[in-house]
Amino acid sequence: MKSRRMNKISSYNPYSINNKNNKAAIIVALFVLVIIGLTGCNNKKNVAPATYSWDEADIYEAEKGIKQGGTCISTELPGFSGDGYVDHFENEGDGLELKIEIPENGFYDLNFISASIGADYKENYLYIDGEEIGTVSVQSGDFSDSLYERVYLTSGEHSVSVTKYWGWIAMDCLKVKKSNELDPSIYEVNRELCNEKPSPNTTRLYNYMCDMYGEKIISGQYCSSMYGPENVAIQRATGYFPAVMGLDYGLYSTSPALFGEESDATTNALDYWNQGGIVTISWYWYAPIKYHTGEWDQSYLTDYTNINLTKIFDESDEEGLDLLKKDIDAIAEQLLILKEADVPVLWRPLPEASSGWYWWGNGTSDEYIQLYQYMYDRLTNYHGLNNLIWIWNGQDSSWYPGDEYVDIISWDVYSGEHIYIANTQTFLEATQCSEKNKMVVLSENGCLFDPELAFRDGSTWGFFCTGKGEYVIKEGTVNEYSGRFTEESVLKRAYGDFRIITRDDLPDIKTYGDK
């Protein structure tokens, strides 16, 4: 089956070393390669990536752009350049379009000098030539940088638009410069796991992922079981199963059991591993029942809980730590089953913490970090779980718990419908969370990116893992593929790309790297 993803090799190879006519040529070629390697000729590692200064940027004043909706020119805020700035991004349809001129094909950085009305975080849509490519954000009440990096643009004129999402910004100008070249060393990750005594299969899996990183991208899909609706729909559409299956351990928390809920996630993890797949497990933590303020099945959300982590860790909430410990221990019981079966797990607890949507991120970053580190210590040192590869999904560098607690950095991105960008801006942001090189993965995505764009832009995520339900399954069907978010042609192109690793492409992880 793999032959569909690469050119078949003829049984007679005229370049084979067994072909006597070519032996001399091959020896000469090898000699030349050795000389090149020794002299450093064409050795890119010896060449520093090119950088470009903002002093060389082209500047486009906002007040000279095309105002959309209710936006208008103002002069009340201090510190603007030119003749004013544009504000009143308040209602749907409000925006600003600027025409920019690009001298040559390549990657460019866009810096929207903006201020936040009210001096709090604001985020608004960014379009290039009418296509949504992401968002730009600003927090300062003074005019400051709002940077979107590494946009590929062809030579000639382009339309750049910012339209209301959160709104309430003032835009002074847009600066455009060539992007600094990517440093290829970002893909040379630290191969030491944070657990000093990982199981052999855990080490093998991580080494395989490191070997692939920067060269290929591992496919993934959240699904309830090996032959769950999403996996079946993808296999029917493409002929392939995803390499990684994503599961959630939320129902193993203590409170769902009080309402008669059960889970077979551990059994399904075992099944997928035994079929040659890789397993990633998240923990969307249903809070202990003491902290519920609404329905139990919403108790992982901030709005339906009243947990105060500061009171738990300073023991003002006397039973709080014991309640959290019981939940962690319940999860450990399941992870220990996988440990005994020698199944390595890409473990992603406490997702999307900085969003504030979930109770573990409702407080400060320090509270979250304390909880994360406590969980790490309990699972690693108390329960002896050495089959976990720890994925941090805080999505803000100020929430980073430290290199000694993190193996992989991840981000979740839901771009919208039929938006096939590789989210390079987010990828680059994630690489900056640690001073050590950590692998970066797309732990959740809605629309699947186009592999051509990912490899062109240099945002080759370690793996992706598409969300369940509507992101894959057509409404009203059991397992019919939906093209609502990712068109079927794009899905087929992705899974058919030799640089995208499906389950069929995986080696036997149990023996990977063994001599």
Side-chain angles (χ1 to χ4, degrees):
M1 292 180 69
K2 293 183 188 179
S3 62
R4 69 77 177 94
R5 307 177 71 192
M6 59 190 75
N7 294 328
K8 289 186 177 180
I9 300 175
S10 169
S11 59
Y12 171 71
N13 184 355
Y15 302 103
S16 169
I17 196 167
N18 293 321
N19 186 328
K20 294 180 180 180
N21 294 330
N22 290 319
K23 283 186 176 179
I26 290 172
I27 291 171
V28 171
L30 290 172
F31 177 76
V32 171
L33 288 173
V34 170
I35 295 300
I36 289 174
L38 291 174
T39 60
C41 181
N42 290 329
N43 188 344
K44 293 184 179 179
K45 288 186 178 180
N46 293 333
V47 179
T51 59
Y52 302 91
S53 170
W54 282 107
D55 293 337
E56 304 168 359
D58 293 326
I59 300 176
Y60 300 87
E61 292 292 342
E63 67 272 16
K64 295 181 179 180
I66 302 169
K67 292 165 284 299
Q68 301 165 334
T71 56
C72 60
I73 299 173
S74 299
T75 57
E76 296 174 4
L77 294 175
F80 60 84
S81 61
D83 299 322
Y85 57 86
V86 173
D87 63 3
H88 285 79
F89 293 78
E90 297 175 5
N91 301 301
E92 186 174 352
D94 293 348
L96 175 70
E97 180 184 8
L98 294 166
K99 302 290 187 179
I100 66 173
E101 197 68 34
I102 297 299
E104 61 183 7
N105 297 355
F107 294 98
Y108 291 84
D109 294 342
L110 310 179
N111 192 3
F112 300 86
I113 306 303
S114 308
S116 166
I117 307 301
D120 53 0
Y121 182 84
K122 302 292 193 315
E123 194 172 306
N124 290 284
Y125 296 118
L126 173 61
Y127 291 81
I128 303 291
D129 297 327
E131 180 181 353
E132 183 184 338
I133 69 164
T135 60
V136 288
S137 61
V138 65
Q139 185 159 355
S140 174
D142 299 321
F143 287 111
S144 57
D145 296 337
S146 178
L147 188 63
Y148 199 96
E149 297 178 283
R150 204 166 172 77
V151 179
Y152 186 83
L153 297 170
T154 56
S155 63
E157 185 181 76
H158 292 272
S159 164
V160 178
S161 300
V162 174
T163 64
K164 179 191 175 295
Y165 176 24
W166 294 19
W168 299 97
I169 61 168
M171 188 180 302
D172 178 33
C173 65
L174 167 62
K175 296 182 178 181
V176 181
K177 78 168 183 70
K178 290 188 71 173
S179 301
N180 297 337
E181 289 185 356
L182 278 184
D183 186 344
S185 69
I186 63 174
Y187 294 108
E188 298 170 5
V189 299
N190 184 347
R191 289 181 178 246
E192 293 183 2
L193 291 162
C194 52
N195 188 322
E196 295 180 355
K197 297 179 180 179
S199 72
N201 275 352
T202 304
T203 299
R204 293 184 184 105
L205 173 58
Y206 186 62
N207 282 340
Y208 171 72
M209 295 177 69
C210 291
D211 288 343
M212 296 300 102
Y213 190 47
E215 301 293 333
K216 295 188 177 184
I217 300 174
I218 301 172
S219 62
Q221 176 62 54
Y222 284 93
C223 191
S224 58
S225 65
M226 182 164 60
Y227 298 110
E230 293 82 5
N231 281 354
V232 169
I234 288 172
Q235 196 278 333
R236 285 178 175 172
T238 68
Y240 294 89
F241 284 103
V244 175
M245 184 172 75
L247 297 161
D248 178 53
Y249 264 12
L251 291 180
Y252 289 125
S253 309
T254 57
S255 62
L258 299 175
F259 297 90
E261 295 295 323
E262 297 180 348
S263 175
D264 53 5
T266 298
T267 298
N268 292 325
L270 285 164
D271 288 344
Y272 212 68
W273 169 257
N274 289 332
Q275 289 297 317
I278 297 169
V279 176
T280 183
I281 299 176
S282 306
W283 186 16
Y284 283 89
W285 188 345
Y286 291 100
I289 195 167
K290 171 184 175 180
Y291 303 108
H292 292 196
T293 60
E295 298 296 325
W296 76 266
D297 59 354
Q298 302 294 310
S299 65
Y300 58 94
L301 297 169
T302 293
D303 291 344
Y304 297 87
T305 52
N306 61 357
I307 290 183
N308 186 317
L309 287 173
T310 294
K311 290 184 177 180
I312 288 176
F313 283 110
D314 71 11
E315 298 184 354
S316 300
D317 179 350
E318 295 180 359
E319 63 176 337
L321 193 58
D322 282 339
L323 293 173
L324 297 186
K325 188 187 301 180
K326 286 178 181 177
D327 270 13
I328 294 171
D329 291 349
I331 298 302
E333 183 178 342
Q334 299 300 318
L335 292 171
L336 284 166
I337 295 171
L338 298 178
K339 176 188 174 182
E340 291 303 312
D342 210 4
V343 178
V345 175
L346 299 172
W347 174 237
R348 185 177 70 114
L350 311 179
E352 301 180 20
S354 63
S355 69
W357 296 331
Y358 308 110
W359 65 258
W360 50 86
N362 185 40
T364 66
S365 59
D366 287 343
E367 290 172 342
Y368 160 80
I369 289 171
Q370 190 171 7
L371 176 63
Y372 184 103
Q373 292 176 349
Y374 178 81
M375 178 192 298
Y376 178 90
D377 179 69
R378 186 76 180 171
L379 292 179
T380 304
N381 299 317
Y382 181 81
H383 287 288
L385 286 160
N386 63 349
N387 60 323
L388 306 183
I389 296 174
W390 285 76
I391 298 179
W392 171 74
N393 187 217
Q395 307 205 149
D396 184 321
S397 60
S398 63
W399 293 62
Y400 190 65
D403 289 332
E404 63 271 36
Y405 302 97
V406 174
D407 297 312
I408 293 174
I409 293 169
S410 79
W411 238 258
D412 297 353
V413 180
Y414 289 86
S415 301
E417 299 176 7
H418 302 171
I419 300 175
Y420 302 124
I421 59 172
N423 295 294
T424 304
Q425 171 85 359
T426 303
F427 178 85
L428 294 175
E429 181 181 351
T431 65
Q432 301 303 308
C433 290
S434 169
E435 293 183 1
K436 294 183 178 180
N437 278 2
K438 298 279 187 179
M439 184 183 300
V440 174
V441 302
L442 189 58
S443 47
E444 289 185 28
N445 59 276
C447 183
L448 181 57
F449 55 79
D450 185 334
E452 287 295 336
L453 300 182
F455 286 95
R456 182 198 70 184
D457 297 352
S459 47
T460 50
W461 304 84
F463 70 79
F464 65 81
C465 208
T466 305
K468 293 173 64 175
E470 63 180 347
Y471 299 104
V472 178
I473 301 300
K474 187 175 181 179
E475 186 178 1
T477 71
V478 176
N479 51 26
E480 184 177 342
Y481 184 75
S482 168
R484 175 183 166 190
F485 288 89
T486 303
E487 295 161 289
E488 188 168 338
S489 60
V490 177
L491 180 79
K492 288 179 176 179
R493 186 164 69 245
Y495 273 77
D497 193 307
F498 74 96
R499 297 164 297 184
I500 300 296
I501 298 170
T502 69
R503 198 177 74 184
D504 285 356
D505 299 319
L506 291 173
D508 183 357
I509 300 297
K510 303 180 187 72
T511 60
Y512 185 77
D514 293 355
K515 294 182 180 179

